[in-house]
């Protein structure tokens, strides 16, 4: 029997967020640990509240795409279809580690690939001949979940998932996501999170939007092939009757 030892990772309230293996923990060089964000002891680690502060969040970003022309303001005379493109969380390249761990923007460094490929994705998802899109990139949990800032190396998928679930539930990013969906309407909802997180995000979408499209994450090799494979799936959550019923219920709750 293989025995794997782990070390708990707590928040400031002594609530367990996740755990890391002793081999993962051995990668931590104490000299590199930023003590304003982490407390590292032999038997446990504490993630301080400052780690989650606003400037460390990689939140949504909106831009416009027309025939592979990227711009940040609408052009006159063009009708744009609105797309919500959902990612699970920022990755290490979306941070500036030399400037105080400052968050950049979703898909930083990968935006060119996204722009060059997006039209092919939409051709697969819809028969609509429209080629103008207003795209919002949205991180469902907007902080770094793989603890790369601490460990300087990849961590196990379960570690990332537990850390993500802490943000999703305890830091109430699930509630924030649902509120965003309630007040911002889109023509297309695309769930591009990686496999471990797709179900949680899809479950949140299922209570509010009628149709969800699921695709591979843009940083995966599927987007970089000569023949791109998006792994697209169309999921029908709600019919119009259900939406009307939900709207009436929401109206009654307000009064």
């Amino acid at each position: 029997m293989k025995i794997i030892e782990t070390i708990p990772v707590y928040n400031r309230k002594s609530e367990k967020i996740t755990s890391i293996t002793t081999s993962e923990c051995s990668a931590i060089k104490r000299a590199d640990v930023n003590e304003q964000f982490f407390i590292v002891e032999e038997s446990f680690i504490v993630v301080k509240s400052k780690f989650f502060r606003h400037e460390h969040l990689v939140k949504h970003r909106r831009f416009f795409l027309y025939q592979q022309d990227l711009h940040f303001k609408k052009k006159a005379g063009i009708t744009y279809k609105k797309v919500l493109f959902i990612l699970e969380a920022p990755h290490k390249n979306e941070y500036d580690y030399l400037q105080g761990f400052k968050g950049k923007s979703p898909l930083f460094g990968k935006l060119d690939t996204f722009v060059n490929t997006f039209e092919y994705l939409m051709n697969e998802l819809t028969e609509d001949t429209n080629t103008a899109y207003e795209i919002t990139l949205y991180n469902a949990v907007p902080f770094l979940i793989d603890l790369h800032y601490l460990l300087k190396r990849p961590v196990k998928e379960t570690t990332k998932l537990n850390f993500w679930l802490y943000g999703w539930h305890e830091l109430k990013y699930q509630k924030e996501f649902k509120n965003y969906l309630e007040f911002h309407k889109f023509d297309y909802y695309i769930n591009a999170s990686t496999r471990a997180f797709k179900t949680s995000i899809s479950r949140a979408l299922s209570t509010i939007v009628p149709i969800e499209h699921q695709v591979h994450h843009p940083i995966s090799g599927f987007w970089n092939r000569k023949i791109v494979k998006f792994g697209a799936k169309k999921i029908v959550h709600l019919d119009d009757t259900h939406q009307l019923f939900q709207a009436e219920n929401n109206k009654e709750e307000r009064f």
Side-chain angles (χ1 to χ4, degrees):
M1 178 187 296
K2 184 178 182 180
I3 298 175
I4 299 175
E5 296 183 10
T6 64
I7 294 171
V9 179
Y10 299 106
N11 62 15
R12 270 297 204 183
K13 297 178 181 178
S14 299
E15 298 167 334
K16 186 177 178 181
I17 298 175
T18 185
S19 60
I20 63 174
T21 64
T22 50
S23 62
E24 289 172 333
C25 191
S26 66
I28 301 173
K29 296 179 181 178
R30 289 183 178 275
D32 292 334
V33 172
N34 191 320
E35 294 182 353
Q36 68 172 318
F37 301 141
F38 306 104
I39 299 172
V40 178
E41 300 291 347
E42 291 296 328
S43 58
F44 66 89
I45 293 171
V46 176
V47 183
K48 297 183 180 180
S49 300
K50 286 184 178 180
F51 182 80
F52 306 108
R53 64 189 182 188
H54 185 77
E55 54 265 42
H56 300 160
L57 303 183
V58 178
K59 303 202 77 173
H60 26 285
R61 178 186 188 183
R62 186 180 67 162
F63 57 89
F64 302 89
L65 196 59
Y66 177 57
Q67 297 178 342
Q68 295 190 345
D69 172 34
L70 174 67
H71 42 283
F72 295 95
K73 291 184 179 181
K74 287 185 177 181
K75 293 187 176 181
I78 297 176
T79 301
Y80 295 86
K81 292 286 187 178
K82 299 181 70 175
V83 178
L84 181 66
F85 197 88
I86 307 153
L87 307 159
E88 78 274 5
H91 291 265
K92 61 175 182 170
N93 294 329
E94 294 165 28
Y95 286 90
D96 188 338
Y97 291 94
L98 300 177
Q99 299 295 325
F101 186 45
K102 185 177 180 181
K104 296 179 182 177
S105 60
L107 296 185
F108 186 87
K110 292 288 184 178
L111 198 55
D112 286 345
T113 299
F114 181 86
V115 168
N116 293 333
T117 312
F118 187 77
E119 184 177 344
Y120 301 110
L121 170 61
M122 296 310 295
N123 288 342
E124 185 170 324
L125 298 187
T126 177
E127 295 180 357
D128 191 344
T129 57
N130 185 79
T131 58
Y133 298 99
E134 176 185 326
I135 303 166
T136 300
L137 301 177
Y138 188 102
N139 276 319
V141 172
F143 57 80
L144 191 68
I145 61 167
D146 65 0
L147 290 176
H148 186 274
Y149 189 61
L150 174 65
L151 300 174
K152 311 296 190 295
R153 57 172 280 181
V155 298
K156 292 184 179 298
E157 199 66 28
T158 52
T159 301
K160 291 195 287 186
L161 178 59
N162 289 337
F163 205 68
W164 187 88
L165 289 172
Y166 172 73
W168 189 239
H169 294 294
E170 301 304 321
L171 298 181
K172 303 187 185 308
Y173 284 115
Q174 180 186 27
K175 182 178 180 181
E176 183 176 310
F177 179 57
K178 287 186 173 182
N179 287 341
Y180 186 85
L181 294 173
E182 289 280 5
F183 290 98
H184 299 81
K185 301 304 177 185
F186 295 85
D187 298 295
Y188 299 98
Y189 300 83
I190 301 177
N191 181 356
S193 58
T194 49
R195 183 183 302 174
F197 312 94
K198 260 191 169 67
T199 300
S200 294
I201 292 173
S202 182
R203 192 176 295 126
L205 287 168
S206 71
T207 62
I208 297 173
V209 308
I211 295 174
E212 164 197 358
H213 294 279
Q214 293 187 356
V215 300
H216 294 311
H217 195 288
I219 68 169
S220 73
F222 294 107
W223 281 63
N224 293 310
R225 297 181 177 184
K226 288 184 179 179
I227 300 176
V228 183
K229 292 193 175 183
F230 298 107
K233 297 178 182 177
K234 180 179 180 180
I235 301 175
V236 179
H237 292 303
L238 307 174
D239 59 23
D240 292 339
T241 305
H242 194 142
Q243 283 185 293
L244 290 171
F245 177 75
Q246 184 186 47
E248 288 300 319
N249 279 347
N250 291 343
K251 190 183 297 182
E252 288 176 8
E253 288 175 3
R254 293 191 190 101
F255 294 101

